[in-house]
């Protein structure tokens, strides 16, 4: 018995080795075949995506100096690849001035719902005339209310930028363009000014059942989830603005498959919002930016500056402890109250006269002060363990911010020793970096290449492959996913008591 076994095993293994050899050879040859073929593959797929963009390109025909003139001899003679390449150019991504940010070699195509004006510009006091729900921004740009409202005005700048893309003579420096055919769009933009709605209309009249803010959210959910576009993707390609941490409190529980534009994730359960799905946008800073800043290390007498309320609930306990730890240090300045109440000019002067600016978690992990500090070129010292930062996938904040864990910061002398230990050279390196990155946090109209508006569009673009993957996977066993079926797969969650 013991003799027999080796023989058959030997035969089998010799045979199977032979088979294996043949199979491996075939695979080797095939793999070369595929490698050679796919050398042009991704490019082709990419071009075919873009080539579906005949419609939007026609929007820019008037006035775009680089538009394709189909009558030229050259055009008709070039092979297909080259024509689609020209279209890439035409969409504003000139090969010669390609910027170094990730993924800008493609402009985001955004379809915008024509929501009734009361969801957006009517909140700014503008009244629609005729049958357009949009103001003609070539003649009149409704103003967003000032004061603290402005810090969450991201909704306004993004919407204006999309509206203006229609009239742009060139797409240079633009990262998004409005398209009118939703099947050609990368994302569906929902132009609800939710932060303003929260700030303005949260109070409920005694005779109303719902506040106007809640009512608008309710109507928004009904509008959006009944759209063809929502049903097609289960909402995953929708971009919804919820920058104020308390905005969209009602609607977000129903619109959660969409991508939210947020200030932070502090008040969200992780399945409603997370860094993978959503985009963190900067606050609009309230204090004036320091143009041509010559206030270097020696020009800034205050070592450490803090602006804000000392007593906050929840995550803000560290503020109080830090206050008692630091209040007797002679070159540390505490300024109480909000920037607006305290005088924006005073805050500007304070931050510009300081080497470091303290950012401590308040009610929420994020706060406008970080962006005020950046604008004043005051190196931010961030004490907020849960903070999420805008564009962190392409920005290394450690190059221009100091991060301190809360547990360390409240140890006696830890923070002050750390700060005093940072010398002129290191400080100056961070200060220069701040001046390089500050434009990424600048909101303005018209928006400029690489400012906050364009950076947000680019951040949205980087999420597109993410949700496309999810949409495609969800279509495996059926062509359509409705918002409702998506909602049913939402796991049950418990909302913490202090959620509101
Ligand atoms: C929108 O685009 C799709 C795909 O390119 C096309 O089939 C459809 O006809 C277009 N719809 C309109 C109204 O132009
Ligand atoms: C800042 O410096 C630039 C270039 O030197 C100059 O063009 C600009 O006018 C200056 N701005 C201010 C506000 O001084």
């Amino acid at each position: 018995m013991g003799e027999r076994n080796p023989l058959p095993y030997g035969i089998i293994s010799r045979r199977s080795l032979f088979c294996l050899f043949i199979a491996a050879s075939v695979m080797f040859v095939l793999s070369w075949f595929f490698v050679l073929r796919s050398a042009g593959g991704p490019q082709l797929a990419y071009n075919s995506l873009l080539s579906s963009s005949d419609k939007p390109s026609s929007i820019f025909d008037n006035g775009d100096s680089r538009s394709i003139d189909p009558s030229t001899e050259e055009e008709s003679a070039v092979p297909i690849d080259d024509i689609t390449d020209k279209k890439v150019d035409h969409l504003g991504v000139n090969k010669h001035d390609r910027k170094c940010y990730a993924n800008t070699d493609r402009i985001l195509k955004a379809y915008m719902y024509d929501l009734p004006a009361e969801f957006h510009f009517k909140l700014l006091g503008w009244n629609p005339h005729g049958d357009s729900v949009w103001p003609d921004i070539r003649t009149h740009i409704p103003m967003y209310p000032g004061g603290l409202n402005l810090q969450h005005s991201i909704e306004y700048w993004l919407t204006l930028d999309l509206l203006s893309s229609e009239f742009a003579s060139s797409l240079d420096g633009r990262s998004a363009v409005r398209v009118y055919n939703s099947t050609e769009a990368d994302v569906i933009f929902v132009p609800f000014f939710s932060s303003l709605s929260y700030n303005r209309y949260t109070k409920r009249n005694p005779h109303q059942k719902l506040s106007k803010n809640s009512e608008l959210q309710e109507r928004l959910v009904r509008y959006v989830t009944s759209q063809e576009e929502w049903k097609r993707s289960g909402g995953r390609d929708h971009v919804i603005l919820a920058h104020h941490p308390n905005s969209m409190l009602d609607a977000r529980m129903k619109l959660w498959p969409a991508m939210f534009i947020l200030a932070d994730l502090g008040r969200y359960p992780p399945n409603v919002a997370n860094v993978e799905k959503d985009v963190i946008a900067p606050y609009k800073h309230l204090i004036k930016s320091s143009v041509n800043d010559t206030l270097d290390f020696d020009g800034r007498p205050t070592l450490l500056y803090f602006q804000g309320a000392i007593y906050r609930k929840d995550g803000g306990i560290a503020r109080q402890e830090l206050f008692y730890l630091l209040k007797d240090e002679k070159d540390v300045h505490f300024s109480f109250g909000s920037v607006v109440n305290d005088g924006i000019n005073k805050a500007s002067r304070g931050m510009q006269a300081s080497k470091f600016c303290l950012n401590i978690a308040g009610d929420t992990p994020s706060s406008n002060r970080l962006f005020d500090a950046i604008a004043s070129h005051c190196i931010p010292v961030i004490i907020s363990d849960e903070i999420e930062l805008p564009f962190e996938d392409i920005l290394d904040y450690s190059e221009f911010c100091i991060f301190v864990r809360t547990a360390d910061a409240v140890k006696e002398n830890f923070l002050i020793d750390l700060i005093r230990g940072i010398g002129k050279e290191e400080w100056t390196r961070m200060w220069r970096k701040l001046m390089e990155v500050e434009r990424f946090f600048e909101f303005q109209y018209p928006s400029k290449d690489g400012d906050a508006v364009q950076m947000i569009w680019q951040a949205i673009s980087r999420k597109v492959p993410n949700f496309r993957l999810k949409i495609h996977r969800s279509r495996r066993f059926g062509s359509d996913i409705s918002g409702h079926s998506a909602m049913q797969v939402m796991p049950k969650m418990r909302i913490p008591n202090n959620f509101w």
Side-chain angles (χ1 to χ4, degrees), residues 52-94:
S52 66
S53 60
D54 291 12
K55 269 282 155 49
S57 63
S58 67
I59 299 165
F60 304 100
D61 277 351
N62 39 1
D64 185 350
S65 53
R66 289 186 295 118
S67 65
I68 307 166
D69 182 357
S71 66
T72 57
E73 266 181 302
E74 233 182 40
E75 284 298 335
S76 49
V78 286
I80 287 175
D81 255 358
D82 288 0
I83 289 178
T84 43
D85 247 20
K86 282 264 160 62
K87 263 178 199 145
V88 177
D89 274 4
H90 176 63
L91 277 172
V93 192
N94 192 323

Side-chain angles (χ1 to χ4, degrees), residues 147-192:
L148 284 171
N149 285 306
L150 271 178
Q151 54 185 340
H152 298 294
S153 56
I154 286 66
E155 49 203 24
Y156 173 68
W157 307 106
L158 289 179
T159 307
L160 275 185
D161 191 53
L162 265 197
L163 285 175
S164 73
S165 72
E166 181 179 353
F167 311 113
S169 59
S170 137
L171 293 183
D172 284 347
R174 274 184 191 274
S175 305
V177 60
R178 184 179 179 194
V179 297
Y180 296 86
N181 183 339
S182 64
T183 58
E184 289 170 351
D186 300 310
V187 293
I188 311 294
F189 185 79
V190 181
F192 175 38

Side-chain angles (χ1 to χ4, degrees), residues 274-292:
N274 52 68
V275 275
E276 189 211 351
K277 172 174 81 70
D278 305 300
V279 166
I280 304 294
Y283 290 60
K284 178 172 165 54
H285 61 80
L286 295 175
I287 73 172
K288 283 200 290 287
S289 31
S290 335
V291 220
N292 297 345

Side-chain angles (χ1 to χ4, degrees), residues 123-149:
L123 292 168
L124 275 52
W126 173 81
N127 278 306
H129 20 249
D131 47 3
S132 175
V133 297
W134 301 110
D136 182 353
I137 55 169
R138 285 168 301 181
T139 56
H140 170 64
I141 300 170
M143 294 302 288
Y144 199 86
L148 284 171
N149 285 306

